[in-house]
Amino acid sequence: MAKLLLSCDDYVYCHEGKYYAASQEKADFYLRYLRVFDKLRLVTRCVDEKELKKSRIPLDDRIEYVNIPLFQGPKQYAIKYFYVGRLLSDVVYGCDAAILRLPSTLAMRIYEKVRCSSIPYATEIVFDAYDGFITSKSLLHKLLWKIIDKKMRQICYKANGVSCVTEHYLQRRYFTKLKDGFSSNYSSLALPKSFYGSNKSFPKNKTIIISHVANQVEYNGRKGHKELIEAAAILKQQNINVEVRFAGKDYFGGQEKLTEFVRKKEVADRVKFLGYVDRKTLEEILSTSDLFVLPTRAEGLPRVIIEAMAKGLPCISTNVSGNPELLDSHWLISYDDVLTLAERIKELCTNVELYNEVSITNFKKSCDYEASILEKRRDKFYKKLRDLVK
């Protein structure tokens, strides 16, 4: 019997002593570790729900929990810092190996205890902290990302194994220095064959639907909400008929501020905020869209772009992180270059042959990320870690 300690930046929900995931996709995420390990000790933030939402999915009985109270951002974490420390005092006890998903406040804290215990551990890198540093506008955030990047590299250098969501990009900074260390690459995504659509044909005689999907809708965040709104305003002036649909939950009043920005730019008739959407609704949004645009400051390997590609959507994003592994350089712009963003959208809205060509290319590329392909690489990586268990 081998028990894995897993730490990740995620949420679970507790109701009457039982634990639940937000969706079936989230529940399946933890099961991938239980394909190789017998039990899982999960360290993650927990939300207590007095009335359990119908969408919640019961989690596997083989999972035990280190219940971390909910916090968001560095300020809330600072308030609960010492309490969290007490909860983590015996976090490694009884575990045979560990996987730390990074960057993560909790995972970096647990690292020291893992090292002291001498159990084998691996890391899964999902985002480039250095990108966070160079793209942050706040001096405080720059400092925090700089510290996180240094810590992540230290953790990876001593890890038995390191896996990144990119094929090449993240590996330049995050890798093991152990002589017998091992590595892999796989996205966190798990796209079943049933999710895939097909390549699209140019949408004639209609308003072009542009989708933008992010976990959070922020006013001055790193996902380019404002920049896409500005591009929509430019396209309106050029009589290019587009409708932008933003999916994602409101984050600290971001949607209200963006709504006011939309009014200021006089594109209220061309922008919609859909709020948080579940997996089924996300699939419907992508299936009924014509373009996908994500002008992001920094990423790991954005899964939502792969999902959009699997629906045959031409995509436009930024030349950051792992994006060049997904899209041709012509469709990768500089984050603040709103004029070029509008121009690229216009190209796809007016050129039938180009639209159809990009759709075919994107759909073919997305097939590299089908669930069964990634599952084999994950299992192989996890088995290498389990083989080190004494």
Side-chain angles (χ1 to χ4, degrees):
M1 297 288 286
K3 182 186 290 186
L4 176 71
L5 173 65
L6 174 67
S7 179
C8 59
D9 265 355
D10 209 343
Y11 302 88
V12 295
Y13 299 85
C14 183
H15 176 71
E16 296 181 350
K18 295 183 178 180
Y19 290 85
Y20 301 81
S23 64
Q24 186 62 56
E25 181 187 18
K26 290 289 187 181
D28 291 343
F29 172 80
Y30 301 119
L31 290 178
R32 66 181 55 167
Y33 300 97
L34 290 168
R35 286 171 55 85
V36 175
F37 289 87
D38 303 294
K39 291 185 177 182
L40 182 65
R41 177 176 294 165
L42 177 61
V43 184
T44 189
R45 288 168 287 183
C46 182
V47 179
D48 290 316
E49 285 193 337
K50 292 183 179 180
E51 294 185 11
L52 189 68
K53 293 184 179 180
K54 293 182 180 180
S55 59
R56 305 298 184 224
I57 304 297
L59 286 166
D60 195 281
D61 291 339
R62 292 171 292 170
I63 304 175
E64 61 182 55
Y65 305 87
V66 179
N67 188 330
I68 304 298
L70 182 66
F71 64 85
Q72 291 181 311
K75 291 182 180 179
Q76 292 185 15
Y77 174 62
I79 294 172
K80 299 179 180 180
Y81 181 85
F82 293 105
Y83 178 61
V84 170
R86 292 195 294 272
L87 293 176
L88 298 178
S89 59
D90 296 321
V91 70
V92 181
Y93 180 77
C95 292
D96 302 293
I99 291 180
L100 306 176
R101 289 179 61 83
L102 297 167
S104 162
T105 302
L106 294 174
M108 289 190 293
R109 190 121 179 231
I110 291 169
Y111 162 70
E112 300 300 338
K113 297 183 181 299
V114 170
R115 284 288 296 169
C116 290
S117 72
S118 297
I119 64 172
Y121 76 93
T123 63
E124 292 181 320
I125 309 299
V126 301
F127 180 80
D128 189 345
Y130 188 74
D131 277 352
F133 163 71
I134 62 176
T135 59
S136 291
K137 296 180 180 179
S138 161
L139 290 177
L140 174 60
H141 287 168
K142 278 187 173 294
L143 176 61
L144 290 174
W145 279 121
K146 187 72 171 178
I147 294 171
I148 291 170
D149 172 58
K150 181 178 179 180
K151 189 67 174 179
M152 282 176 59
R153 285 184 284 118
Q154 290 174 345
I155 294 172
C156 288
Y157 292 162
K158 298 177 182 179
N160 298 96
V162 176
S163 180
C164 299
V165 294
T166 61
E167 187 175 356
H168 304 292
Y169 181 81
L170 289 166
Q171 287 84 339
R172 295 183 300 178
R173 296 186 67 80
Y174 307 113
F175 51 88
T176 177
K177 288 187 175 181
L178 296 188
K179 185 178 180 180
D180 56 352
F182 51 93
S183 62
S184 185
N185 70 282
Y186 47 79
S187 168
S188 298
L189 190 61
L191 273 184
K193 291 181 180 179
S194 60
F195 185 92
Y196 280 81
S198 62
N199 56 282
K200 287 180 172 284
S201 297
F202 182 80
K204 297 180 179 179
N205 302 319
K206 68 184 288 289
T207 298
I208 303 297
I209 304 299
I210 301 174
S211 285
H212 176 294
V213 179
N215 287 331
Q216 298 165 338
V217 174
E218 299 180 73
Y219 182 66
N220 276 322
R222 59 180 175 87
K223 297 293 186 177
H225 292 86
K226 285 181 66 179
E227 286 70 20
L228 183 50
I229 292 169
E230 289 185 65
I234 294 171
L235 292 167
K236 182 177 182 179
Q237 294 172 356
Q238 298 175 354
N239 295 317
I240 304 297
N241 294 321
V242 301
E243 178 184 295
V244 179
R245 302 188 300 188
F246 290 109
K249 62 183 178 181
D250 183 38
Y251 189 69
F252 291 109
Q255 182 170 317
E256 182 179 352
K257 294 176 182 177
L258 286 170
T259 300
E260 181 58 35
F261 187 68
V262 165
R263 294 194 194 100
K264 180 180 177 181
K265 291 293 181 178
E266 300 181 348
V267 288
D269 59 327
R270 295 179 172 228
V271 176
K272 292 183 179 180
F273 293 96
L274 306 180
Y276 168 80
V277 297
D278 59 22
R279 187 71 178 170
K280 181 179 179 181
T281 306
L282 171 64
E283 186 171 354
E284 292 173 356
I285 290 170
L286 295 177
S287 296
T288 56
S289 296
D290 303 307
L291 299 177
F292 184 82
V293 180
L294 186 70
T296 175
R297 285 187 181 275
E299 293 292 331
L301 189 74
R303 54 182 293 156
V304 70
I305 291 182
I306 302 172
E307 290 168 331
M309 294 166 69
K311 293 298 185 182
L313 294 178
C315 300
I316 301 170
S317 191
T318 42
N319 189 21
V320 298
S321 308
N323 287 351
E325 296 181 12
L326 299 175
L327 303 176
D328 182 82
S329 60
H330 185 73
W331 307 111
L332 298 172
I333 63 169
S334 298
Y335 179 82
D336 295 318
D337 191 353
V338 176
L339 290 175
T340 300
L341 174 59
E343 182 61 31
R344 293 293 182 268
I345 294 173
K346 182 179 178 180
E347 287 180 40
L348 290 168
C349 290
T350 56
N351 189 322
V352 176
E353 184 177 339
L354 179 63
Y355 181 98
N356 294 340
E357 178 185 323
V358 175
S359 175
I360 292 171
T361 299
N362 284 1
F363 181 76
K364 288 182 177 179
K365 179 64 178 178
S366 73
C367 294
D368 294 341
Y369 297 88
E370 193 270 323
S372 62
I373 295 174
L374 299 184
E375 189 175 84
K376 292 177 183 178
R377 291 212 294 268
R378 290 193 196 102
D379 285 357
K380 184 177 180 180
F381 183 75
Y382 298 158
K383 286 175 182 176
K384 286 184 178 181
L385 180 63
R386 176 164 178 162
D387 288 345
L388 297 177
V389 173
K390 296 178 181 180

